[in-house]
Amino acid sequence: MPEWLVLTLAMLAACVVVVVITVVRDRRAPEDEDPSETPDVIEYMTMWIGVVYAIVLGLAIAGVWEARSAAQDHVQAEAQALHEISERVRVYPADARDRIRDDVNAYVGHVVTTEWEWMADNGQVTERGTELLQQVRADVTDYQPKTDFEAQAYQPVLDQMAAADQARNARADSAAPTMPGVVWFGLIGGGVVTIGMIFALQIRRTARELVLAGLFSALIAFLLFLIWDFDAPYSRGITASADPFLSLFPGIKG
């Protein structure tokens, strides 16, 4: 199901639930009930519950957005390191240079054509990708420089190999959702409590109050959906992409 459809249904469902509960409550309310008699302490508690919940939502959104941005940075760092390896080995003999470049291209091709989809579906990288990167590492580390010029390029190539490996490990660590279940329990429970406080204020079935209650509940549903969408950086609506690999290795088709 498309993410936009999930969002629309969630917001509509939140509005419908609030409106239905409000209408049913209004019909069953005693005729002598006076909404103006809501104690001041309830209004005070409702205000602070809303403030606290807004802070929690803001922190959660900031956290998942930062994780999503970091995931894209890992991809950029990995692609750049591999590109540097391909470029820096130009001083090597043709057979060693071509072998390293071919293995780098094989790894990048696997990442963008196979591993990316697997990572989105399963939240982890593939064993085959690890094997291909190990082959690149073996090519780089096993080469013995024969001239001073090659020796000067050897250590920087090793450094870029370490950077690529580190970026891949970071990408693997960020592939799974970052929000623990207990946090989701708090976010959803807090949303229920916050919306429930609307009824503690004895909201009645006027058009203005129903519209405001519906919009408020839809806003909370939207923010929760936003957190859920950002929580998996590689697999949902606004995701980190493999564009750095495709731009630095134009011969690879995603």
Side-chain angles (χ1 to χ4, degrees):
M1 182 181 298
E3 275 76 12
W4 65 267
L5 182 57
V6 174
L7 172 60
T8 302
L9 293 177
M11 295 178 67
L12 288 177
C15 292
V16 169
V17 169
V18 170
V19 170
V20 169
I21 294 178
T22 303
V23 172
V24 171
R25 181 186 180 282
D26 180 72
R27 290 182 177 180
R28 295 185 177 182
E31 295 182 0
D32 58 348
E33 183 180 21
D34 185 5
S36 63
E37 295 180 354
T38 301
D40 292 340
V41 67
I42 294 183
E43 296 181 359
Y44 181 79
M45 291 173 58
T46 301
M47 178 190 70
W48 276 107
I49 288 174
V51 170
V52 171
Y53 187 63
I55 294 173
V56 172
L57 280 177
L59 292 175
I61 292 174
V64 293
W65 176 256
E66 182 179 357
R68 187 266 178 196
S69 299
Q72 187 64 60
D73 291 342
H74 299 328
V75 177
Q76 180 66 48
E78 183 180 2
Q80 185 63 46
L82 292 168
H83 177 69
E84 289 295 324
I85 292 174
S86 293
E87 293 300 317
R88 289 175 183 270
V89 297
R90 60 187 297 270
V91 302
Y92 287 6
D95 57 340
R97 179 183 65 240
D98 293 342
R99 182 174 64 255
I100 293 174
R101 286 179 173 176
D102 288 344
D103 286 341
V104 168
N105 289 337
Y107 171 74
V108 173
H110 174 78
V111 169
V112 299
T113 60
T114 303
E115 185 171 79
W116 204 266
E117 183 177 356
W118 174 268
M119 186 172 59
D121 294 338
N122 300 278
Q124 58 184 2
V125 296
T126 63
E127 292 293 336
R128 178 57 179 166
T130 302
E131 294 173 0
L132 290 173
L133 189 62
Q134 289 299 324
Q135 182 58 52
V136 177
R137 178 185 288 277
D139 294 339
V140 169
T141 57
D142 291 350
Y143 178 73
Q144 296 181 359
K146 299 178 176 60
T147 66
D148 290 341
F149 190 34
E150 293 178 8
Q152 291 175 3
Y154 181 73
Q155 187 58 48
V157 172
L158 287 181
D159 293 340
Q160 293 300 323
M161 184 66 243
D165 194 18
Q166 182 179 10
R168 174 181 170 80
N169 291 334
R171 174 165 62 86
D173 292 338
S174 62
T178 57
M179 297 288 285
V182 65
V183 176
W184 276 113
F185 176 80
L187 290 173
I188 296 174
V192 172
V193 171
T194 303
I195 295 175
M197 292 304 293
I198 295 175
F199 307 112
L201 293 176
Q202 300 183 22
I203 185 173
R204 303 306 291 264
R205 194 181 57 180
T206 65
R208 180 179 61 181
E209 290 175 332
L210 286 178
V211 169
L212 290 176
L215 290 177
F216 180 68
S217 60
L219 175 62
I220 291 180
F222 169 75
L223 293 176
L224 290 175
F225 173 85
L226 198 63
I227 295 172
W228 173 82
D229 196 50
F230 286 158
D231 191 31
Y234 299 107
S235 61
R236 293 174 186 157
I238 306 176
T239 63
S241 70
D243 289 344
F245 286 108
L246 299 175
S247 62
L248 293 175
F249 297 88
I252 304 298
K253 301 299 182 181

